């Protein structure tokens, strides 16, 4: 989520599933054995195949130049391992047009005369279903309908939808595959890359700009291949970027871990070691070049030496920085807000200093520091950059909202302050929201953005979920209320907001 929040949606989503009929597995089984009897063999072969796949993707660039990635290994209940891979491509290799998508992804049955080998593997591994009357017990069937929305519609051409789901080319060309006595056509083909499918002879689903949220059961099932995977100490996940989480705490209130009976030893050890935060103070006192960076920016330019407890100049730059969240109920919350912007601080007192005056509390320092969270000039530049990119509909909506902000509420215009924007995925709603956020901040207004799901919230500037913004309880019932009081810190923040931008409103339950 940290990578998606910083860099946006991935360009490609790949699922790679172990094929128990791989020659490397079948040729090494003893007589009478099946792949289920040899989880060690299945695990090792999949790991080797997976390493080769990653080598083709990252080193050989068979799908384009990859600049960021996330990968995770999971295990089906039947035991077969599979991998999910998210890829961010370089700008020159992004899938901007229908032809770009067609060059990498196919959702059609290959011609068995032209390419029999590929035809056989697609028939074996890349056909979804059939379901319904032909297979009513399929696990994808929910209330009589396929949860994966198969069969798809025929499409003469690929339709590339910006920031949404592309509609892959599925021509009604007469080619069919017979599955258990039933003929299936291109509407049942799972999207794939022909080169990868042919080389690896397995289920390799390749999707453009995928936006999937998995649902997990509240249980844990460990199959034999998963047990062997962990025994062999193979990695379960990997990311191209390192996620650095910075701790935040009040003076003399850092967390200290200790064994029972060794409390004083732990305290003495902690007193002699600098944390990320106190080491940042010392770095600023010795290195004037570090004054350009806030606490959350430092890890992009310096690396923390755990042995010597100090920051030193960083060599690489593949990091994403996050600071631990805190409850918005006291001094710690305002300290965190200050650390997001303050630069060059050499002590706790420096963080409480505003215009040369050392204030008593971090809360007081926050409310006396003008435009702490709202970088007005940056918002002005962002609004100026985005405004020419708006289409006619986006511009009309934005102008109407901005005009309403300048009006005083009255009986005559009470309805002009509530707007509902509707459009399919990829129509530019999020872009419009982010433009309005930048514009309102540049005007000196406060705004708050939220969405019903976490995925949608990451696409919004300063976005959060509706549960987070309004402190909605779990679950939401007809008699529940939000956990915000008028005189609380969060209540004060909500009262200052001039514009609320709420995405996915059609998904919000009525009791919310």
């Amino acid at each position: 989520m940290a990578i998606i929040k910083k860099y946006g949606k991935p360009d490609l989503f790949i699922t790679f599933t172990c094929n128990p009929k791989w020659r490397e597995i079948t040729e090494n089984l003893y007589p009478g054995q099946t792949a289920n009897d040899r989880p060690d063999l299945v695990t090792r072969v999949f790991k080797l195949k997976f390493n080769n796949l990653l080598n083709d993707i990252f080193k050989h660039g068979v799908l384009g130049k990859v600049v960021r990635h996330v990968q995770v290994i999971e295990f089906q209940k039947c035991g077969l391992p599979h991998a999910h891979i998210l890829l961010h491509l370089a700008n020159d290799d992004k899938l901007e047009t229908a032809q770009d998508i067609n060059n990498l992804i196919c959702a059609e049955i290959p011609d068995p005369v032209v390419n029999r080998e590929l035809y056989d593997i697609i028939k074996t591994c890349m056909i979804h279903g059939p379901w319904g009357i032909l297979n009513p017990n399929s696990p994808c069937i929910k209330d009589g309908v396929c949860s994966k929305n198969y069969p798809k519609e025929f499409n003469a051409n690929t339709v590339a939808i910006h920031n949404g789901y592309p509609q892959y080319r599925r021509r009604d060309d007469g080619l069919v595959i017979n599955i258990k006595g039933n003929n299936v056509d291109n509407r049942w083909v799972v999207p794939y890359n022909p080169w990868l499918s042919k080389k690896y002879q397995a289920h390799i689903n390749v999707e453009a700009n995928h936006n999937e949220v998995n649902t997990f059961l509240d249980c844990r099932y460990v199959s034999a291949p998963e047990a062997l995977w962990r025994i062999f100490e193979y990695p379960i996940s990997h990311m191209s970027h390192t996620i650095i989480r910075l701790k935040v705490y009040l003076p003399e209130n850092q967390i200290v871990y200790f064994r029972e009976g060794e409390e004083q030893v732990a305290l003495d050890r902690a007193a002699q070691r600098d944390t990320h935060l106190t080491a940042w103070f010392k770095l600023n006192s010795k290195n004037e070049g570090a004054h350009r960076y806030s606490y959350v920016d430092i890890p992009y330019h310096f690396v923390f030496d755990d042995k010597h407890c100090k920051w030193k100049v960083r060599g690489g730059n593949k990091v994403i920085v996050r600071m631990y969240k805190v409850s918005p109920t006291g001094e710690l919350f305002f300290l965190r807000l200050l650390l997001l912007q303050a630069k060059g601080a050499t002590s706790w007192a420096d963080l409480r200093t505003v215009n040369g005056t050392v204030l008593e509390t971090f809360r007081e320092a926050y409310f006396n520091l003008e435009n702490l969270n709202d970088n007005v000039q940056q918002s002005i530049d962002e609004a100026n950059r985005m405004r020419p990119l708006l289409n006619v509909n986006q511009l009309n909506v934005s102008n109407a909202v901005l005009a309403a902000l300048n009006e005083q509420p009255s009986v005559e215009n009470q309805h002009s302050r509530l707007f509902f924007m509707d459009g399919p995925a990829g129509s530019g709603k999020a872009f419009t929201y982010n433009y309005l956020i930048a514009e309102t901040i540049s005007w000196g207004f406060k705004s708050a953005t939220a969405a019903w799901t976490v995925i949608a919230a990451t696409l919004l500037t300063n976005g959060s979920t509706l549960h987070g913004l309004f402190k909605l309880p779990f679950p939401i019932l007809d008699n529940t209320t939000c956990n915000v009081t008028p005189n609380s810190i969060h209540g004060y923040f909500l009262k200052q907001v001039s514009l609320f931008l709420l995405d996915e409103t059609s998904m919000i339950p009525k009791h919310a």
Side-chain angles (χ1 to χ4, degrees):
M1 293 302 296
I3 290 180
I4 293 176
K5 182 175 179 62
K6 184 174 180 63
Y7 296 108
K9 289 183 180 180
D11 298 295
L12 290 173
F13 181 93
I14 301 172
T15 300
F16 176 44
T17 303
C18 176
N19 184 356
K21 296 181 180 180
W22 275 327
R23 180 173 54 84
E24 293 87 347
I25 294 177
T26 58
E27 290 183 354
N28 288 283
L29 295 174
Y30 293 114
Q33 282 188 331
T34 66
N36 289 333
D37 300 318
R38 293 294 305 277
D40 58 327
L41 183 60
V42 169
T43 300
R44 290 183 183 275
V45 171
F46 178 76
K47 182 62 166 62
L48 291 172
K49 296 275 189 179
F50 183 55
N51 287 345
N52 286 337
L53 175 65
L54 297 181
N55 192 59
D56 282 334
I57 293 174
F58 300 142
K59 292 186 178 180
H60 299 156
V62 296
L63 301 177
K65 182 179 179 181
V66 177
V67 292
R68 289 171 290 276
H69 70 271
V70 178
Q71 64 200 51
V72 63
I73 303 295
E74 295 179 351
F75 295 83
Q76 300 170 345
K77 194 168 184 179
C78 65
L80 293 177
H82 64 277
H84 295 302
I85 311 170
L86 300 178
L87 304 178
H88 283 85
L89 301 178
N91 290 334
D92 291 341
D93 291 321
K94 287 188 178 296
L95 309 182
E96 301 288 352
T97 67
Q99 187 58 46
D100 292 336
I101 296 174
N102 289 338
N103 289 340
L104 282 187
I105 301 173
C106 180
E108 296 182 320
I109 299 170
D111 189 330
V113 177
V114 177
N115 199 335
R116 184 70 195 190
E117 183 181 2
L118 181 60
Y119 174 87
D120 289 338
I121 194 62
I122 298 307
K123 175 182 179 179
T124 304
C125 299
M126 302 306 296
I127 300 298
H128 184 85
W131 57 267
I133 297 176
L134 303 177
N135 188 11
N137 295 320
S138 175
C140 69
I141 300 300
K142 306 295 181 185
D143 300 323
V145 179
C146 176
S147 61
K148 306 298 183 182
N149 298 318
Y150 283 89
K152 306 291 187 180
E153 298 292 332
F154 282 122
N155 290 310
N157 299 290
T158 296
V159 179
I161 302 176
H162 177 67
N163 204 27
Y165 297 94
Q167 297 175 359
Y168 302 110
R169 181 173 61 191
R170 299 174 185 271
R171 292 168 291 192
D172 188 5
D173 54 13
L175 285 176
V176 296
I177 290 179
N178 188 276
I179 305 292
K180 297 180 180 179
N182 302 291
N183 289 332
V184 298
D185 50 35
N186 288 333
R187 295 174 298 169
W188 299 89
V189 178
V190 177
Y192 64 94
N193 175 269
W195 190 88
L196 291 178
S197 292
K198 190 171 181 179
K199 176 176 180 179
Y200 290 97
Q201 302 283 303
H203 175 94
I204 306 181
N205 176 210
V206 181
E207 300 267 8
N209 203 9
H210 202 278
N211 185 14
E212 177 179 285
V213 179
N214 291 325
T215 302
F216 294 91
L217 296 176
D218 187 16
C219 62
R220 189 75 173 95
Y221 179 88
V222 180
S223 63
E226 180 176 0
L228 267 298
W229 189 278
R230 295 180 182 276
I231 289 173
F232 294 150
E233 298 184 351
Y234 294 152
I236 289 293
S237 62
H238 180 264
M239 290 188 294
S240 58
H241 288 57
T242 301
I243 310 300
I244 297 177
R245 304 190 70 181
L246 299 175
K247 294 181 179 179
V248 54
Y249 59 90
L250 293 171
E252 306 302 328
N253 277 268
Q254 71 191 74
I255 296 176
V256 177
Y257 297 95
F258 59 88
R259 297 181 182 274
E260 186 175 359
E262 299 180 1
E263 293 86 348
Q264 190 58 49
V265 174
L267 288 173
D268 293 341
R269 183 170 60 249
Q272 298 172 5
R273 294 173 59 88
D274 282 317
T275 63
H276 287 159
L277 188 51
T278 55
W280 177 57
F281 291 151
K282 290 186 177 180
L283 176 66
N284 286 329
S285 65
K286 298 177 181 179
N287 188 336
E288 291 188 2
H291 292 190
R292 295 176 292 171
Y293 312 119
S294 66
Y295 180 48
V296 292
D297 289 332
I298 278 293
Y300 291 110
H301 309 279
F302 296 82
V303 62
F304 189 75
D305 185 340
D306 288 310
K307 182 178 180 180
H308 299 96
C309 300
K310 66 179 183 179
W311 293 99
K312 60 182 183 180
V313 177
R314 174 174 291 280
N317 60 355
K318 286 192 172 184
V319 297
I320 294 177
V321 184
R322 305 184 74 179
M323 188 159 49
Y324 282 94
K325 290 185 177 181
V326 301
S327 175
T329 56
E331 278 288 276
L332 187 61
F333 175 68
F334 292 102
L335 170 61
R336 187 180 187 278
L337 293 178
L338 289 166
L339 289 173
L340 289 171
Q341 295 290 336
K343 299 178 181 179
T346 59
S347 65
W348 299 102
D350 266 3
L351 291 173
R352 302 196 310 272
T353 301
V354 179
N355 294 328
T357 302
V358 181
L359 303 173
E360 290 294 324
T361 65
F362 295 115
R363 176 182 181 133
E364 190 178 358
Y366 167 73
F367 285 115
N368 279 273
L369 192 61
E370 295 182 353
N371 298 324
L372 176 67
N373 285 321
D374 301 339
N375 189 328
V376 176
Q377 186 57 51
Q378 181 179 350
S379 297
I380 292 174
D381 294 341
E382 184 69 4
N384 290 337
R385 181 189 68 81
M386 298 176 74
R387 192 179 300 112
L389 302 178
L390 297 173
N391 61 35
V392 175
N393 291 332
Q394 292 171 325
L395 187 61
N396 290 338
V397 170
S398 300
N399 289 339
V401 173
L402 295 173
L405 280 174
N406 287 321
E407 295 181 3
Q408 291 296 323
S410 65
V411 177
E412 291 76 16
N413 70 356
Q414 59 181 334
H415 297 298
S416 67
R417 300 178 68 82
L418 177 63
F419 300 87
F420 180 76
M421 183 166 59
D422 185 28
S427 60
K429 298 188 298 297
F431 186 85
T432 307
Y433 295 150
N434 289 332
Y435 165 69
L436 285 170
I437 295 166
E439 195 72 77
T440 52
I441 292 176
S442 70
W443 288 12
F445 291 108
K446 284 189 177 294
S447 62
T449 57
W452 184 248
T453 63
V454 175
I455 290 292
T458 61
L459 302 179
L460 302 174
T461 304
N462 301 324
S464 69
T465 62
L466 283 167
H467 283 85
L469 179 60
F470 296 111
K471 307 302 177 186
L472 301 178
F474 292 96
I476 299 176
L477 306 175
D478 57 353
N479 61 346
T480 55
T481 58
C482 66
N483 299 316
V484 181
T485 56
N487 295 324
S488 66
I489 297 172
H490 199 67
Y492 177 81
F493 163 75
L494 292 177
K495 287 188 288 186
Q496 300 298 309
V497 173
S498 300
L499 176 63
F500 288 94
L501 292 165
L502 309 180
D503 197 9
E504 301 181 318
T505 54
S506 59
M507 299 174 60
I508 302 174
K510 64 179 181 179
H511 297 310

